[in-house]
Amino acid sequence: MHGFRFDDPAVAALTAVAAAAGHPVYVVCLGRAGTRTADLVALARRFPAVIFVHGHCGFTGLDADGLALVAAQPNIVVETSGCFTAIARLAVARLGPGRVVFGTEFPLQDPRVELAKLAALGLGPDHLAMVAGGNAARLLGEVAA
């Protein structure tokens, strides 16, 4: 997460372990070389069997450019905690509801704030169910794909 470059051999080794276990990898991008969204996309290309969860919908709560990069890489999904409502809405539009997972950032953020943001997206019941928990359950192997 914080403090490691995505091209670090240790990150590749840990990602290989996740691949062997069939487990997704949660990452947070930063604004410095080696930790940007483009660097995450490069890592995801090296490990196409691993699902990467792009925390906070990008580097800042307003990372529309990062969403454009992620859209082209099918093994990256985005997580909504801490981002602006407009970015969460854009994530659903660009990636589809199947590539967006709900997050709360608890205990730093009150979950009611994130639930209000989720409600403000105006998703239909099927898409809301996917984003609110169905996608996360699928990624963690809790339900059939």
Side-chain angles (χ1 to χ4, degrees), residues 109-124:
Q109 177 73 301
D110 188 311
R112 293 173 293 189
V113 172
E114 296 297 332
L115 287 167
K117 178 173 59 185
L118 181 63
L121 297 180
L123 301 174

Side-chain angles (χ1 to χ4, degrees), residues 80-85 88 102-121:
T80 62
S81 73
C83 72
F84 285 90
T85 305
F102 173 73
T104 65
E105 193 66 10
F106 181 80
L108 299 176
Q109 177 73 301
D110 188 311
R112 293 173 293 189
V113 172
E114 296 297 332
L115 287 167
K117 178 173 59 185
L118 181 63
L121 297 180

Side-chain angles (χ1 to χ4, degrees), residues 22-80:
H23 200 281
V25 174
Y26 183 90
V27 299
V28 174
C29 291
L30 302 174
R32 63 178 190 260
T35 66
R36 295 184 175 102
T37 302
D39 302 306
L40 168 60
V41 170
L43 178 64
R45 285 184 183 138
R46 288 182 55 204
F47 293 92
V50 174
I51 301 296
F52 292 86
V53 180
H54 187 30
H56 314 308
C57 282
F59 166 54
T60 67
L62 210 53
D63 192 5
D65 290 338
L67 289 177
L69 293 173
V70 165
Q73 191 59 40
N75 62 323
I76 301 175
V77 302
V78 296
E79 177 266 327
T80 62

